[in-house]
């Protein structure tokens, strides 16, 4: 965001580059906080807003290109439906089958990327959590779980178990990943199949929507015996900041993290793609503080 140093006022002019988010709903998004804070930090003359797109994301993306919009984030429910509007899609985003970041290429259109999974990976690196060679349990089989499973296979997890309320959806993910990564041992099951996990302790990534505000008293699995099988618990949910899943894992002696850093880093990586820079730790820390303020923490 371009701030006038003397007056401290926002300065938007004819050179201001415009970015934004399309999705439905977008009222609660934190993406403007991430991008406008980074623009302010780097003194970039850009502004980021949220565009509610109820239907036809293809038309919205084509319209954004016609209007000279420089980049877009895409959120639920358009992450897959926006793909036909793109002139090119990054390989990993194509495997996931969903994009969340569109980069304008002058004269061609938008190229699609998925920064959610690199964002999760960077958030885990930041916490010192490894994927390589790790035994992983993924809870859920929705869009996020599918992408997490793809990342786990791509980064060389030694074993992956995908457990979901609807086991058929977990099986569909495992089948697809076995096709793309034949060397990754991936097993699907129901939420009760944690009882069948082979000996040892696991990294567990919670990728269901259970426990999200206002249903903060819920966890996808309640049995303390399950949490005894986990050394690290990573919840993709970040609202509330401390989920019940995290609390149960901590009670059983595991380390536990929420999804706020994943949200933060997916935004940071999008900002890097749009501006051709590497965002430094001081800027990341500033965004983290702003996000927490926004959440009243
Ligand atoms: P989704 O496609 O709607 O999938 C929802 C998943 O939750 C499904 O596996 C569903 O099981 C399961 N589920 C829902 N209610 C349940 C319940 N009561 N008991 C057991 N399982 C239940 O959603 P998504 O896009 O994958 O997102 C999942 C979560 O990840 C959301 O909370 C989202 O906010 C979070 N997320 C966070 C970030 C971040 O940056 N931190 C990024 C992406 C997503 P069924 O298949 O049986 O219906």
């Amino acid at each position: 965001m371009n701030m006038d140093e003397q007056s401290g006022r926002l300065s938007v002019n004819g050179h201001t580059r415009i970015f934004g988010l399309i999705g439905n709903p977008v009222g609660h998004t934190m993406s403007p906080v991430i991008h406008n804070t980074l623009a302010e930090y780097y003194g970039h003359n850009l502004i980021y807003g949220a565009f509610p797109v109820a239907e036809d994301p293809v038309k919205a993306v084509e319209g954004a290109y016609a209007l000279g919009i420089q980049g877009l984030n895409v959120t639920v429910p358009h992450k897959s439906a926006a793909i036909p509007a793109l002139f090119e899609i990054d390989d990993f985003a194509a495997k996931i089958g969903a994009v969340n970041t569109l980069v304008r290429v002058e004269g061609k259109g938008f190229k699609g990327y998925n920064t959610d999974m690199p964002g999760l990976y960077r958030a885990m690196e930041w916490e010192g959590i490894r994927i390589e060679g790790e035994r992983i349990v993924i809870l859920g089989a929705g869009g996020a779980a599918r992408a997490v499973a793809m990342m786990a296979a791509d980064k060389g997890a030694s074993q992956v178990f995908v457990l979901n309320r609807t086991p058929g959806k977990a099986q569909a993910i495992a089948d697809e990943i076995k096709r793309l990564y034949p060397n990754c041992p991936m097993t699907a099951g129901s939420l009760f199949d944690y009882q069948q996990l082979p000996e040892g302790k696991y990294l567990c990534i919670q990728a269901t929507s259970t426990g999200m505000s206002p249903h903060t008293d819920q966890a996808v699995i309640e049995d303390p015996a399950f949490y005894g099988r986990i050394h690290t618990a990573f919840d993709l949910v970040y609202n509330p900041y401390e989920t019940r899943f995290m609390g149960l894992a901590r009670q059983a002696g595991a380390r536990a993290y929420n999804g706020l850093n994943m949200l933060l880093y997916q935004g940071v990586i999008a900002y890097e793609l749009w501006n051709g820079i590497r965002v430094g730790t001081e800027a990341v820390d500033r965004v983290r503080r702003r996000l927490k303020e926004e959440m009243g923490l």
Side-chain angles (χ1 to χ4, degrees):
M1 215 181 324
N2 203 25
M3 301 295 286
D4 184 280
E5 280 187 17
Q6 277 175 351
S7 67
R9 272 186 285 173
L10 175 66
S11 160
V12 177
N13 54 36
H15 298 287
T16 303
R17 293 182 300 140
I18 299 178
F19 293 81
L21 168 76
I22 60 167
N24 190 35
V26 291
H28 293 95
T29 179
M30 302 255 240
S31 290
V33 175
I34 299 175
H35 295 287
N36 292 320
T37 301
L38 288 172
E40 180 191 292
Y41 179 88
Y42 286 108
H44 289 155
N45 185 7
L46 68 83
I47 192 156
Y48 183 106
F51 303 106
V53 173
E55 50 195 59
D56 210 338
V58 169
K59 224 183 239 177
V61 171
E62 287 168 357
Y65 183 78
L67 284 170
I69 288 184
Q70 297 295 304
L72 288 172
N73 282 137
V74 184
T75 189
V76 177
H78 302 320
K79 287 184 178 189
S80 300
I83 291 175
L86 309 175
F87 82 94
E88 196 178 353
I89 178 166
D90 163 78
D91 284 349
F92 193 59
K95 276 186 182 163
I96 293 172
V99 292
N100 78 327
T101 300
L102 312 186
V103 177
R104 182 186 183 88
V105 178
E106 219 50 64
K108 290 192 167 175
F110 285 107
K111 177 171 178 180
Y113 295 84
N114 190 309
T115 71
D116 281 330
M117 286 313 112
L120 173 62
Y121 189 70
R122 227 192 261 186
M124 288 188 154
E125 267 187 327
W126 190 74
E127 306 284 9
I129 304 168
R130 286 173 56 85
I131 297 281
E132 294 84 352
E134 192 60 70
R135 281 184 284 212
I136 302 179
V137 175
I138 298 169
L139 301 177
R146 187 172 172 281
V148 171
M150 199 74 74
M151 184 198 60
D154 194 68
K155 296 291 181 189
S158 65
Q159 262 186 318
V160 183
F161 294 85
V162 183
L163 310 183
N164 192 43
R165 178 175 63 177
T166 312
K169 283 163 76 178
Q171 191 59 55
I173 291 177
D175 290 346
E176 191 188 349
I177 289 185
K178 275 184 207 154
R179 190 173 56 77
L180 292 167
Y181 298 91
N183 295 329
C184 178
M186 190 159 298
T187 309
S190 78
L191 290 174
F192 300 102
D193 284 334
Y194 65 84
Q195 291 156 355
Q196 321 294 332
L197 290 173
E199 274 304 293
K201 289 222 173 189
Y202 291 77
L203 161 63
C204 178
I205 302 174
Q206 198 301 111
T208 77
S209 44
T210 322
M212 267 172 83
S213 183
H215 307 290
T216 55
D217 58 343
Q218 296 177 3
V220 63
I221 297 176
E222 293 282 344
D223 183 358
F226 168 66
Y227 294 92
R229 304 298 311 277
I230 292 174
H231 61 73
T232 305
F234 199 105
D235 201 335
L236 299 199
V237 173
Y238 54 83
N239 185 13
Y241 195 71
E242 285 286 326
T243 64
R244 177 162 171 77
F245 169 78
M246 291 166 65
L248 289 167
R250 283 217 184 92
Q251 276 170 27
R255 296 187 294 165
Y257 305 93
N258 66 26
L260 191 67
N261 278 315
M262 172 184 176
L263 174 81
L264 188 165
Y265 282 110
Q266 65 72 31
V268 163
I269 297 168
Y271 196 90
E272 291 177 343
L273 286 167
W274 290 329
N275 291 287
I277 59 166
R278 172 88 185 183
V279 172
T281 41
E282 195 180 282
V284 172
D285 289 344
R286 184 182 290 193
V287 179
R288 188 178 292 110
R289 276 199 304 278
R290 287 272 172 88
L291 286 173
K292 285 185 165 180
E293 278 166 25
E294 199 68 22
M295 292 175 72
L297 297 166

